[in-house]
Amino acid sequence: MIANPLAPVIETRQLSKVYLAGTEAEVVALHGADLTVRRGEFVAIMGPSGSGKTTMMNLLGCLDTPTSGTYLCDGEDVSTLDAEELAQVRLHKIGFVFQQFNLLPRMTALENVMMPLGYVRMSRHERRERALAMLEAVGLGSRAGHKPTELSGGQQQRVAIARALINAPPLLLADEPTGALDSKTGEEILALFKRLRSDGHTVVLITHDAHVAEHADAIYEIHDGVLGARRAGSRA
């Protein structure tokens, strides 16, 4: 499907997720969430442990399927796709950044960033050039030949961000991306997200930290599976 360039990157309507606990009991992890994220926005979804934010992230990342409601990712209704189709959405439409960087230790930064391109028809030279350009974009062009153990935590997270962006996905989904970093390095990563937003990328940040959330353009709070109304963050 060719996406409508005017469509929101994320649009959910009454998105819900119910889990069975035992044979009869049900746990409503997410209840009727309505969320719209437009292209070029930096949005935070904030909530404490057990609030439903991880469930929300898994649904937005097509790592899980909703019990009810609809989810349009880049204009495509993914609510009823099968497992193989969801895998294609994750590959082409969503870049993931996690608290743990998930870099392969025996590979260089360049090789880690190139890895998702192995599923794309492209020569090795083209993959290498694109990966180098992405490392340059996150300020790590000079560290391309270094392995993760030779990089600081902040540098490893930048490599992970470059890898997440390598397929030019419409959505960058970041789950507690500063959680394993000291405060100064965390601020640098948040500044990078702001720069990516200014360059036209769409960033959704999942966090429990109000200070981290305030860096976003807009904030949604989630409690007991209920997604609250949008409020402004900071574009500073």
PDB file of all heavy atoms in Angstrom, residues 132-143 155 158 162 192 195:
ATOM      1  N   LEU A 132      26.901   4.603   6.488  1.00  0.00           N
ATOM      2  CA  LEU A 132      27.871   5.649   6.837  1.00  0.00           C
ATOM      3  C   LEU A 132      27.193   7.011   6.926  1.00  0.00           C
ATOM      4  O   LEU A 132      27.462   7.794   7.851  1.00  0.00           O
ATOM      5  CB  LEU A 132      28.994   5.693   5.800  1.00  0.00           C
ATOM      6  CG  LEU A 132      30.102   4.649   5.953  1.00  0.00           C
ATOM      7  CD1 LEU A 132      31.023   4.679   4.728  1.00  0.00           C
ATOM      8  CD2 LEU A 132      30.914   4.893   7.228  1.00  0.00           C
ATOM      9  N   ALA A 133      26.302   7.293   5.977  1.00  0.00           N
ATOM     10  CA  ALA A 133      25.583   8.564   5.995  1.00  0.00           C
ATOM     11  C   ALA A 133      24.717   8.686   7.237  1.00  0.00           C
ATOM     12  O   ALA A 133      24.621   9.766   7.838  1.00  0.00           O
ATOM     13  CB  ALA A 133      24.731   8.694   4.730  1.00  0.00           C
ATOM     14  N   MET A 134      24.103   7.575   7.664  1.00  0.00           N
ATOM     15  CA  MET A 134      23.260   7.620   8.850  1.00  0.00           C
ATOM     16  C   MET A 134      24.094   7.811  10.117  1.00  0.00           C
ATOM     17  O   MET A 134      23.700   8.540  11.035  1.00  0.00           O
ATOM     18  CB  MET A 134      22.428   6.336   8.944  1.00  0.00           C
ATOM     19  CG  MET A 134      21.264   6.432   9.924  1.00  0.00           C
ATOM     20  SD  MET A 134      20.159   7.816   9.591  1.00  0.00           S
ATOM     21  CE  MET A 134      19.496   7.332   7.995  1.00  0.00           C
ATOM     22  N   LEU A 135      25.260   7.181  10.180  1.00  0.00           N
ATOM     23  CA  LEU A 135      26.152   7.404  11.317  1.00  0.00           C
ATOM     24  C   LEU A 135      26.621   8.850  11.360  1.00  0.00           C
ATOM     25  O   LEU A 135      26.725   9.453  12.435  1.00  0.00           O
ATOM     26  CB  LEU A 135      27.344   6.449  11.254  1.00  0.00           C
ATOM     27  CG  LEU A 135      27.070   5.009  11.688  1.00  0.00           C
ATOM     28  CD1 LEU A 135      28.264   4.115  11.368  1.00  0.00           C
ATOM     29  CD2 LEU A 135      26.750   4.930  13.187  1.00  0.00           C
ATOM     30  N   GLU A 136      26.901   9.422  10.212  1.00  0.00           N
ATOM     31  CA  GLU A 136      27.258  10.842  10.159  1.00  0.00           C
ATOM     32  C   GLU A 136      26.112  11.693  10.697  1.00  0.00           C
ATOM     33  O   GLU A 136      26.328  12.678  11.418  1.00  0.00           O
ATOM     34  CB  GLU A 136      27.575  11.249   8.714  1.00  0.00           C
ATOM     35  CG  GLU A 136      28.875  10.686   8.169  1.00  0.00           C
ATOM     36  CD  GLU A 136      30.109  11.415   8.684  1.00  0.00           C
ATOM     37  OE1 GLU A 136      29.950  12.413   9.422  1.00  0.00           O
ATOM     38  OE2 GLU A 136      31.225  10.976   8.360  1.00  0.00           O
ATOM     39  N   ALA A 137      24.890  11.317  10.364  1.00  0.00           N
ATOM     40  CA  ALA A 137      23.718  12.095  10.770  1.00  0.00           C
ATOM     41  C   ALA A 137      23.537  12.119  12.282  1.00  0.00           C
ATOM     42  O   ALA A 137      22.984  13.084  12.830  1.00  0.00           O
ATOM     43  CB  ALA A 137      22.462  11.545  10.100  1.00  0.00           C
ATOM     44  N   VAL A 138      24.010  11.069  12.969  1.00  0.00           N
ATOM     45  CA  VAL A 138      23.896  11.049  14.430  1.00  0.00           C
ATOM     46  C   VAL A 138      25.216  11.396  15.102  1.00  0.00           C
ATOM     47  O   VAL A 138      25.393  11.187  16.304  1.00  0.00           O
ATOM     48  CB  VAL A 138      23.371   9.680  14.942  1.00  0.00           C
ATOM     49  CG1 VAL A 138      21.983   9.393  14.378  1.00  0.00           C
ATOM     50  CG2 VAL A 138      24.337   8.544  14.607  1.00  0.00           C
ATOM     51  N   GLY A 139      26.154  11.905  14.310  1.00  0.00           N
ATOM     52  CA  GLY A 139      27.408  12.398  14.870  1.00  0.00           C
ATOM     53  C   GLY A 139      28.452  11.353  15.168  1.00  0.00           C
ATOM     54  O   GLY A 139      29.344  11.572  15.987  1.00  0.00           O
ATOM     55  N   LEU A 140      28.378  10.191  14.488  1.00  0.00           N
ATOM     56  CA  LEU A 140      29.305   9.095  14.796  1.00  0.00           C
ATOM     57  C   LEU A 140      30.057   8.588  13.565  1.00  0.00           C
ATOM     58  O   LEU A 140      30.530   7.455  13.560  1.00  0.00           O
ATOM     59  CB  LEU A 140      28.556   7.926  15.443  1.00  0.00           C
ATOM     60  CG  LEU A 140      28.204   8.066  16.922  1.00  0.00           C
ATOM     61  CD1 LEU A 140      27.511   6.809  17.408  1.00  0.00           C
ATOM     62  CD2 LEU A 140      29.430   8.350  17.779  1.00  0.00           C
ATOM     63  N   GLY A 141      30.175   9.421  12.548  1.00  0.00           N
ATOM     64  CA  GLY A 141      30.877   8.979  11.352  1.00  0.00           C
ATOM     65  C   GLY A 141      32.297   8.524  11.625  1.00  0.00           C
ATOM     66  O   GLY A 141      32.781   7.564  11.018  1.00  0.00           O
ATOM     67  N   SER A 142      32.963   9.158  12.571  1.00  0.00           N
ATOM     68  CA  SER A 142      34.352   8.817  12.873  1.00  0.00           C
ATOM     69  C   SER A 142      34.490   7.543  13.702  1.00  0.00           C
ATOM     70  O   SER A 142      35.599   7.051  13.903  1.00  0.00           O
ATOM     71  CB  SER A 142      35.023   9.974  13.612  1.00  0.00           C
ATOM     72  OG  SER A 142      34.410  10.180  14.876  1.00  0.00           O
ATOM     73  N   ARG A 143      33.367   6.999  14.193  1.00  0.00           N
ATOM     74  CA  ARG A 143      33.409   5.796  15.044  1.00  0.00           C
ATOM     75  C   ARG A 143      32.851   4.575  14.328  1.00  0.00           C
ATOM     76  O   ARG A 143      32.587   3.547  14.968  1.00  0.00           O
ATOM     77  CB  ARG A 143      32.617   6.044  16.337  1.00  0.00           C
ATOM     78  CG  ARG A 143      32.965   7.327  17.067  1.00  0.00           C
ATOM     79  CD  ARG A 143      34.325   7.264  17.711  1.00  0.00           C
ATOM     80  NE  ARG A 143      34.303   6.480  18.931  1.00  0.00           N
ATOM     81  CZ  ARG A 143      35.376   6.216  19.669  1.00  0.00           C
ATOM     82  NH1 ARG A 143      36.557   6.654  19.275  1.00  0.00           N
ATOM     83  NH2 ARG A 143      35.285   5.499  20.770  1.00  0.00           N
ATOM     84  N   GLN A 155      27.053   6.801  22.854  1.00  0.00           N
ATOM     85  CA  GLN A 155      27.432   6.485  21.473  1.00  0.00           C
ATOM     86  C   GLN A 155      26.722   5.211  21.002  1.00  0.00           C
ATOM     87  O   GLN A 155      26.277   5.135  19.852  1.00  0.00           O
ATOM     88  CB  GLN A 155      28.946   6.331  21.374  1.00  0.00           C
ATOM     89  CG  GLN A 155      29.694   7.650  21.502  1.00  0.00           C
ATOM     90  CD  GLN A 155      31.195   7.461  21.587  1.00  0.00           C
ATOM     91  OE1 GLN A 155      31.686   6.419  22.039  1.00  0.00           O
ATOM     92  NE2 GLN A 155      31.945   8.470  21.157  1.00  0.00           N
ATOM     93  N   ARG A 158      23.279   6.098  20.057  1.00  0.00           N
ATOM     94  CA  ARG A 158      23.256   6.781  18.763  1.00  0.00           C
ATOM     95  C   ARG A 158      23.365   5.776  17.613  1.00  0.00           C
ATOM     96  O   ARG A 158      22.719   5.939  16.577  1.00  0.00           O
ATOM     97  CB  ARG A 158      24.394   7.808  18.683  1.00  0.00           C
ATOM     98  CG  ARG A 158      24.142   9.057  19.500  1.00  0.00           C
ATOM     99  CD  ARG A 158      25.350   9.982  19.518  1.00  0.00           C
ATOM    100  NE  ARG A 158      25.089  11.147  20.330  1.00  0.00           N
ATOM    101  CZ  ARG A 158      24.622  12.305  19.873  1.00  0.00           C
ATOM    102  NH1 ARG A 158      24.373  12.445  18.575  1.00  0.00           N
ATOM    103  NH2 ARG A 158      24.403  13.324  20.679  1.00  0.00           N
ATOM    104  N   ALA A 162      20.655   5.247  14.690  1.00  0.00           N
ATOM    105  CA  ALA A 162      21.007   5.193  13.275  1.00  0.00           C
ATOM    106  C   ALA A 162      20.474   3.910  12.638  1.00  0.00           C
ATOM    107  O   ALA A 162      19.945   3.931  11.511  1.00  0.00           O
ATOM    108  CB  ALA A 162      22.523   5.286  13.105  1.00  0.00           C
ATOM    109  N   LEU A 192      19.073  14.975  20.300  1.00  0.00           N
ATOM    110  CA  LEU A 192      19.132  14.332  18.986  1.00  0.00           C
ATOM    111  C   LEU A 192      17.723  14.056  18.468  1.00  0.00           C
ATOM    112  O   LEU A 192      17.433  14.281  17.277  1.00  0.00           O
ATOM    113  CB  LEU A 192      19.937  13.032  19.072  1.00  0.00           C
ATOM    114  CG  LEU A 192      19.975  12.173  17.798  1.00  0.00           C
ATOM    115  CD1 LEU A 192      20.547  12.956  16.622  1.00  0.00           C
ATOM    116  CD2 LEU A 192      20.798  10.907  18.045  1.00  0.00           C
ATOM    117  N   ARG A 195      16.346  17.162  17.078  1.00  0.00           N
ATOM    118  CA  ARG A 195      16.930  17.483  15.777  1.00  0.00           C
ATOM    119  C   ARG A 195      16.323  16.604  14.686  1.00  0.00           C
ATOM    120  O   ARG A 195      16.052  17.076  13.572  1.00  0.00           O
ATOM    121  CB  ARG A 195      18.454  17.304  15.829  1.00  0.00           C
ATOM    122  CG  ARG A 195      19.145  17.649  14.518  1.00  0.00           C
ATOM    123  CD  ARG A 195      20.611  17.954  14.718  1.00  0.00           C
ATOM    124  NE  ARG A 195      21.366  16.844  15.251  1.00  0.00           N
ATOM    125  CZ  ARG A 195      21.788  15.816  14.509  1.00  0.00           C
ATOM    126  NH1 ARG A 195      21.521  15.764  13.218  1.00  0.00           N
ATOM    127  NH2 ARG A 195      22.504  14.857  15.064  1.00  0.00           N
TER     128      ARG A 195
END
